[in-house]
Amino acid sequence: QVQLVESGGGLVQAGGSLRLSCVASGRTFRLWTMAWFRQAPGKEREFVALRRWSTNFTLYGDCAKGRFTISWDNANDTVYLQMDSLKPEDTAVYYCTTGVAASKVASDYADWGRGTQVTVFS
């Protein structure tokens, strides 16, 4: 079982930046996939980005391309999401998750953090 704790969310003006962190503990997730999803009120959970440990393969959702970057700190089992050029439509709770397969579908993942709120105002 893996425990995941997100942090780094907050209130930011449109055009600004935030960096989210997700710390994993309990079991290693090396050779697995780490992913970020987000969910706004009344909407489905949306894929943001993923990284596969075995190959360093990364994939971004349409909402994140060109603005967000997923990265990692191997020594501290931490995955980051750098978010630049933020827009009001980026407002959501951001969740990190881990699983065996590299998937853009939220239901393919079993272990989730509790999320961190990101609010972008214009």
Side-chain angles (χ1 to χ4, degrees):
Q1 186 176 18
V2 177
Q3 292 80 48
L4 302 168
V5 180
E6 304 97 335
S7 63
L11 181 66
V12 63
Q13 189 173 27
S17 298
L18 286 173
R19 189 176 74 158
L20 308 183
S21 300
C22 176
V23 179
S25 62
R27 295 185 182 274
T28 180
F29 54 85
R30 294 184 186 275
L31 305 181
W32 288 21
T33 296
M34 290 292 298
W36 288 95
F37 286 76
R38 69 186 189 184
Q39 189 166 23
K43 302 193 70 175
E44 297 292 320
R45 191 161 293 190
E46 180 183 24
F47 171 71
V48 177
L50 67 82
R51 175 190 178 273
R52 192 161 179 83
W53 286 100
S54 61
T55 64
N56 200 31
F57 172 77
T58 59
L59 186 66
Y60 293 94
D62 290 340
C63 65
K65 291 178 181 177
R67 299 188 299 127
F68 296 179
T69 304
I70 187 169
S71 61
W72 60 97
D73 181 346
N74 291 330
N76 295 295
D77 289 335
T78 303
V79 174
Y80 303 97
L81 184 69
Q82 177 68 40
M83 304 187 295
D84 299 318
S85 301
L86 284 164
K87 305 174 182 179
E89 50 263 46
D90 295 318
T91 296
V93 177
Y94 284 71
Y95 300 91
C96 69
T97 185
T98 184
V100 174
S103 175
K104 298 188 291 184
V105 180
S107 61
D108 287 340
Y109 297 88
D111 297 312
W112 296 86
R114 292 185 176 182
T116 184
Q117 176 71 50
V118 172
T119 302
V120 184
F121 65 93
S122 60

